[in-house]
Amino acid sequence: MRTLILYFVLWLTVLVGPLGCSSSAPRNLAQSVVADTHLGWRSAPENQLVLSLATASGIAQVELQPLPERFTLVTLELPGMRKVEGVQWRDGNGQSTMLYDGVSGLDGVSLQSRGHGFRLQLQLSSMDYIRAGGVLTVIDYWR
């Protein structure tokens, strides 16, 4: 009986295992640009991308590859940041857009204080900017 249960669990693992790997695929969509920017990952529903950015210099940069249409929300956890003074997007053609200027953001950009850091969420029309890929820069107030 134990052998039968063990075989069933192994069979289920082999069958369901590749489905679970879809959560690791987003890791190919982003990479740190600045040497002191640490990029981390959080598990998220299939239509979301959740990253964690930490920096020692106050300027965090991450390069995003083109995002599949299924992504409707990108969340960046920004632990340790004191006061975000800007979030800028630069697309592959070098065009820059200020997504958040320290006071307010474009439609679909929200920044929430989280005690020891912030949570930046990009959705709705802000996804139109980042969907094609480019570099996201988050500037923290360090003065």
Side-chain angles (χ1 to χ4, degrees):
M1 184 67 173
R2 286 184 185 174
T3 305
L4 183 60
I5 292 171
L6 180 62
Y7 281 126
F8 177 74
V9 169
L10 287 174
W11 174 79
L12 190 61
T13 303
V14 169
L15 181 66
V16 178
L19 296 175
C21 292
S22 66
S23 64
S24 65
R27 292 179 187 267
N28 299 327
L29 295 176
Q31 67 181 18
S32 175
V33 176
V34 181
D36 78 337
T37 299
H38 173 74
L39 178 63
W41 298 92
R42 295 246 168 113
S43 59
E46 209 172 293
N47 64 338
Q48 297 180 22
L49 181 62
V50 179
L51 309 171
S52 177
L53 290 176
T55 180
S57 68
I59 298 176
Q61 287 187 317
V62 62
E63 179 181 4
L64 293 174
Q65 299 301 315
L67 299 176
E69 286 294 322
R70 66 182 168 95
F71 286 108
T72 58
L73 176 67
V74 173
T75 301
L76 283 97
E77 299 288 342
L78 305 166
M81 290 201 170
R82 299 176 188 165
K83 181 178 189 296
V84 175
E85 69 177 34
V87 177
Q88 182 180 10
W89 176 255
R90 189 178 73 238
D91 66 18
N93 298 325
Q95 298 292 324
S96 295
T97 302
M98 197 62 130
L99 300 177
Y100 179 81
D101 64 8
V103 177
S104 63
L106 297 178
D107 184 38
V109 177
S110 67
L111 185 72
Q112 301 110 19
S113 178
R114 308 273 302 171
H116 294 289
F118 290 87
R119 173 183 282 167
L120 173 69
Q121 291 190 315
L122 306 169
Q123 58 187 340
L124 305 172
S125 63
S126 67
M127 289 295 292
D128 295 339
Y129 289 99
I130 67 173
R131 189 166 305 284
V135 175
L136 184 72
T137 304
V138 180
I139 304 164
D140 193 30
Y141 182 80
W142 281 82
R143 290 173 226 153

